[in-house]
Amino acid sequence: MDKRFGMFIHWGPVTLRGTEIGWSRGHQVALSDYDNLYKEFNPVLFDADTWVKVARDAGMKYITITSKHHDGFCLWPSEFTEYDIMATPFKKDVLGELAKACEKYNIRFCIYYSLLDWHDPDYPMHNDGSKELDSQANMDKFVLTIKNQLKELVTNYDPYMLWFDGQWESPWTDEMGADLYSYLKGLKKDLIINNRLGKEMTAIHDKEVDYTKMIGDYDTPEQKIGKLNLDFPWESCITIGNQWAWKPNDKLKSAKECLHTLIRTASGNGNLLFNVGPMPDGRIEQRQTELLDQMGHWLRSYGESIYETTGGPYSPTHEYSATRKDNKVFIHLFQNNQSELVLPSLKGVTVLTASFMNGSDVKMKIHEGKYNFTLPHHLPDSISNVLVLQLDKPARDLSLIR
Ligand code: H79
C-alpha cells in the first residue's frame, strides 16, 4: 500500500478493432471476426523497456498486465492453450519481456487473469451476457487448466501480485476461490492476491461489503474511488479514458482529473491502478503518455504527500482531502479560487506551522475550535496545491474527523 500508484495495462488483438475488451465480442465486433483477430495481431513497435519507463516516469511503482482477459487470448506462450501470442505473427513473449524490463527498472511486475474464458469449451458460458450454461462444459477440467496456467505464470514470471476478475459469473463459486487462494499461496507464500476470487467485493456498485466474507488480500473498487478505510487495503482501478482497451480518439481525463483521482485515492488510504490501453502496433498513445508525464512531473515535487502516507485524518470533501506522514498533515486543495479554508481543529496536537508545499507560509487563525487559513490569490501550483500542517506530534495517531 505504500506504493500507492500502479499502471494497469489492457491489451490484446481486440485493439485492432478499437472496441472494448470486456464486452465487444459478439456485439460491436462479430464473433467470427473477433476470434480471428489474433492472426493479424503483430505489434512490431512493442518495446517493454519503453512501457516500463513510461510507468516509472509517471511515478508508478508497479505494473499489472492482462495475461488473459475474458476472451481467453493469452499474451504469453502457454502450454495449455493454442490461443496465445505464439499463434500470432508477432510470436514474442510479451509477459516475459515486460517482467524482465520491470526487474531492470525496479518496478513490481503483476499479472491480471480473468477467471472466465469465452474461448475454452470447458467453461460453461461462451460469451458476454450468456444466459445458458453449456451442458458439454466441464468446470472441474476448466479449474485444472486455470491452475496449470497460473502455476506457469507464477513459476515463469514470479509476479508480485495477481489480479483476478470475472468471478461474478455463476459457474465460479466461493469454494473454488478459497481453494485457488490457498493453492496460489502454496506456490508462493508472499504473493499478493486481489479479492476477485470470491463474490464479496466493492466492485462497480457502492454496496457495503462484509470483509469477513472476502477471499483475497485487498478490495478492488472499479471505475470509482474507494471510501476512506484505514482497516482494509484497497486499490481502485480506473481508466485514463473511457475504455480499458485502446480506442481511437477516446476521450481522456484532463491532467487535473488524473491527478485528483490519484490524490483522492491516497486520501482514502488506497492505491490507484491507473489503466492505459496500448495500441495494436505496440505503442502507448502519445496523448496518454503526455498525461502520465504530467502526473510524474507533479509527483516529483509533491510525492512526499502521496507515497507511504496514510489517508485522513480529514474525510475528503469536494473542496479538499488529506494525507499524513510523520508530523505532517497534507491538505490537498481541489479548488484554486478560494480566499479562505476552514477546517475543524485537530485534537491533542498543536499546529506549529502552515505552509504551501513548495511555496510560502499561510496565515492561520484558530476561531471557535476551527482553523481558518487565508489563501493567496495566486497558488504555487497550476494543477494541484498542497497545504502542509506541521504538528508537534506524529499525525498517524490522530483519529478520523468525519
Ligand atoms: O478488465 C476490466 C473490465 O473489462 C472488467 N473488469 C475491469 C478490471 C469487467 N468485465 N466486466 N465488467 C468489468 C463489468 C461487469 C459488471 C457486472 Fe457485476 C458483473 C455487473 C454485474 C455483474 C460484478 C458483480 C460487478 C458488479 C456485480
Side-chain angles (χ1 to χ4, degrees):
M1 296 310 295
D2 55 351
K3 300 191 172 23
R4 282 293 181 252
F5 191 25
M7 175 184 272
F8 213 172
I9 302 178
H10 277 67
W11 204 39
V14 67
T15 52
L16 287 161
R17 292 291 172 269
T19 58
E20 189 55 288
I21 194 165
W23 43 83
S24 69
R25 181 175 175 270
H27 300 286
Q28 292 97 315
V29 182
L31 290 178
S32 57
D33 184 25
Y34 195 106
D35 293 345
N36 284 300
L37 287 172
Y38 74 98
K39 294 176 185 164
E40 291 166 51
F41 188 56
N42 194 14
V44 290
L45 299 178
F46 166 70
D47 179 55
D49 279 37
T50 306
W51 284 14
V52 175
K53 280 192 269 183
V54 168
R56 180 199 62 182
D57 294 347
M60 292 158 158
K61 306 295 183 193
Y62 57 102
I63 292 181
T64 307
I65 183 163
T66 51
S67 64
K68 185 199 83 172
H69 206 269
H70 312 336
D71 63 14
F73 179 79
C74 295
L75 276 176
W76 83 101
S78 174
E79 269 182 50
F80 304 96
T81 183
E82 298 291 302
Y83 193 42
D84 67 6
I85 194 75
M86 297 320 268
T88 70
F90 191 53
K91 292 194 193 349
K92 278 190 192 151
D93 182 2
V94 170
L95 253 57
E97 293 189 11
L98 201 58
K100 222 188 288 161
C102 281
E103 170 125 48
K104 182 165 157 192
Y105 295 103
N106 195 29
I107 297 287
R108 298 284 174 278
F109 178 69
C110 313
I111 296 178
Y112 166 106
Y113 185 93
S114 175
L115 291 168
L116 62 94
D117 191 325
W118 301 323
H119 191 266
D120 188 331
D122 287 329
Y123 186 74
M125 291 158 91
H126 303 313
N127 203 20
D128 181 38
S130 302
K131 295 274 182 307
E132 291 183 8
L133 298 186
D134 180 355
S135 59
Q136 305 292 305
N138 183 339
M139 205 49 196
D140 290 342
K141 209 167 143 222
F142 180 69
V143 171
L144 269 180
T145 305
I146 280 184
K147 284 186 171 172
N148 283 331
Q149 284 205 318
L150 288 165
K151 189 173 181 185
E152 192 173 51
L153 289 169
V154 172
T155 314
N156 294 351
Y157 309 114
D158 192 27
Y160 183 74
M161 295 197 269
L162 289 180
W163 211 107
F164 289 101
D165 203 8
Q167 88 300 7
W168 53 79
E169 292 205 341
S170 63
W172 190 258
T173 64
D174 271 7
E175 290 68 39
M176 292 171 186
D179 172 65
L180 191 53
Y181 183 84
S182 47
Y183 172 76
L184 293 165
K185 293 270 172 165
L187 292 177
K188 179 177 172 171
K189 77 172 182 322
D190 58 351
L191 190 61
I192 302 169
I193 302 172
N194 79 343
N195 68 335
R196 297 201 182 182
L197 281 178
K199 308 277 178 186
E200 193 71 11
M201 62 166 180
T202 298
I204 299 154
H205 307 299
D206 215 355
K207 85 175 186 81
E208 283 299 326
V209 287
D210 179 348
Y211 290 99
T212 64
K213 287 192 185 150
M214 264 187 198
I215 301 168
D217 304 325
Y218 63 96
D219 195 16
T220 49
E222 177 165 334
Q223 293 292 34
K224 64 202 290 284
I225 295 160
K227 287 189 208 141
L228 175 58
N229 186 340
L230 301 181
D231 303 318
F232 198 84
W234 58 268
E235 176 202 63
S236 278
C237 53
I238 295 179
T239 49
I240 197 166
N242 287 325
Q243 225 174 247
W244 293 99
W246 181 68
K247 176 181 176 177
N249 302 314
D250 196 8
K251 186 178 182 317
L252 304 183
K253 293 184 168 65
S254 67
K256 191 180 245 177
E257 280 175 285
C258 290
L259 267 171
H260 286 181
T261 303
L262 174 63
I263 292 165
R264 282 190 177 278
T265 307
S267 301
N269 206 43
N271 279 20
L272 175 64
L273 188 60
F274 205 39
N275 183 75
V276 304
M279 299 188 286
D281 66 9
R283 291 173 303 163
I284 300 176
E285 201 187 316
Q286 198 180 336
R287 293 189 306 144
Q288 299 192 4
T289 55
E290 277 167 10
L291 284 168
L292 297 175
D293 256 358
Q294 282 179 277
M295 295 179 87
H297 183 259
W298 186 88
L299 280 164
R300 281 189 283 281
S301 302
Y302 293 92
E304 189 198 349
S305 70
I306 301 292
Y307 303 115
E308 293 163 36
T309 59
T310 303
Y314 294 104
S315 297
T317 70
H318 71 283
E319 240 183 312
Y320 62 82
S321 71
T323 53
R324 49 183 151 158
K325 185 179 185 172
D326 304 328
N327 284 16
K328 291 173 185 163
V329 172
F330 302 100
I331 309 293
H332 298 270
L333 302 174
F334 297 126
Q335 259 126 58
N336 48 15
N337 54 1
Q338 282 169 280
S339 56
E340 184 186 57
L341 174 73
V342 181
L343 293 177
S345 62
L346 300 165
K347 303 277 171 305
V349 291
T350 305
V351 176
L352 304 175
T353 58
S355 61
F356 276 108
M357 212 169 160
N358 307 313
S360 50
D361 284 357
V362 170
K363 218 166 101 193
M364 179 184 117
K365 274 195 286 202
I366 304 179
H367 183 66
E368 293 178 349
K370 289 188 163 39
Y371 302 145
N372 283 258
F373 302 96
T374 310
L375 301 179
H377 211 63
H378 288 288
L379 298 177
D381 195 83
S382 60
I383 305 189
S384 204
N385 286 279
V386 187
L387 192 59
V388 188
L389 312 184
Q390 182 77 47
L391 311 180
D392 63 338
K393 293 196 186 99
R396 213 197 163 105
D397 304 334
L398 294 164
S399 18
L400 292 179
I401 299 174
R402 300 270 181 191

